Amino acid sequence: MQELENGGPPGLGPDEHRRLARVLLAAARERRPVEPLSAGYPQLNVADARRIRDSALADRLAEGERLAGAVASPGRAGEPRLAWLTNTMVLSDVKVPLAGLIDPYVEPRLALRIMRPLADPIASVAELVRASRGLRLCLEVVDTRYAPGPVTAADEIADNCGTAKVFVAGDTAAPGAEVLADGAIDSLVMLAACVARRQGGLEPGTLLVAPLHGVAGR
């Protein structure tokens, strides 16, 4: 499964992508929400949003953070949307540091943590599962950087789907994981492919997080 694409070229240029990424990073850092990007840039589309999201990740990596994995967030129409995870976003315990968040809420997820290296491309779902310890329950802290107002799919993707923190709940396999919805399996495969493509494979410790009930493939 591929991450949602809108099939068209971006409506903005690379300079605007970098600038808007830094606007969102500053909003998170200062805990000061901004108006949705589409309010000032009605031509903003999904192609722009992905570039803004990826530019924000590049800035975070340049500041010393490390890519830790990715989250598949279900969009309004059920399509999978990717959010990046860095090491500073992975909680070591269930205590959430509210001082760095604006208006957070928590949603249940399923997580797969890679325990041995995997080369790109990922050959199969079975290979992915064998390289992990199985599915674990996970909590995602969602915290949008936007002030209240109409928000488009492009706004959400540019904002890294609001993903702020994740916590994997222990080493016990998630109950009922054997009947996991096909959509969640597809989401995990999409995440593995995206992370592997970006860094040339999957490293031990890479975290892949999917919706609890899966998302429909489109």
Side-chain angles (χ1 to χ4, degrees):
M1 177 193 295
Q2 295 294 318
E3 185 190 2
L4 173 70
E5 281 278 17
N6 71 345
L12 304 175
D15 289 343
E16 285 102 338
H17 296 149
R18 288 189 290 270
R19 188 183 72 78
L20 292 175
R22 288 165 185 167
V23 167
L24 293 174
L25 288 172
R29 185 171 56 250
E30 298 166 8
R31 299 180 65 197
R32 185 175 301 174
V34 296
E35 68 176 1
L37 302 184
S38 61
Y41 295 86
Q43 70 272 42
L44 184 84
N45 61 33
V46 169
D48 293 304
R50 294 180 68 187
R51 286 162 174 79
I52 293 167
R53 176 200 63 195
D54 292 356
S55 181
L57 173 68
D59 282 355
R60 296 181 73 157
L61 298 181
E63 292 172 1
E65 297 183 42
R66 301 186 309 278
L67 182 62
V71 177
S73 296
R76 295 174 184 175
E79 75 281 354
R81 298 174 180 174
L82 179 145
W84 295 116
L85 284 176
T86 70
N87 62 302
T88 66
M89 299 166 70
V90 180
L91 297 171
S92 58
D93 60 49
V94 76
K95 295 179 181 177
V96 179
L98 296 178
L101 301 170
I102 297 172
D103 186 23
Y105 62 93
V106 175
E107 292 190 351
R109 300 282 187 251
L110 288 168
L112 198 69
R113 192 187 296 275
I114 303 302
M115 304 307 296
R116 62 176 177 81
L118 282 177
D120 180 39
I122 306 302
S124 68
V125 176
E127 181 186 29
L128 189 62
V129 173
R130 282 197 301 269
S132 75
R133 289 183 178 170
L135 289 158
R136 301 292 185 261
L137 290 175
C138 177
L139 298 176
E140 178 188 0
V141 180
V142 183
D143 188 41
T144 181
R145 266 59 73 170
Y146 296 130
V151 175
T152 68
D155 286 317
E156 292 174 349
I157 294 168
D159 189 32
N160 202 42
C161 301
T163 298
K165 306 283 183 183
V166 297
F167 171 71
V168 180
D171 290 326
T172 303
E178 68 278 3
V179 293
L180 179 65
D182 288 343
I185 293 284
D186 288 345
S187 296
L188 289 169
V189 173
M190 179 269 286
L191 293 176
C194 289
V195 177
R197 195 159 50 238
R198 185 176 186 95
Q199 59 184 21
L202 297 181
E203 300 175 356
T206 298
L207 196 59
L208 308 173
V209 180
L212 196 58
H213 300 296
V215 294
R218 294 206 170 197

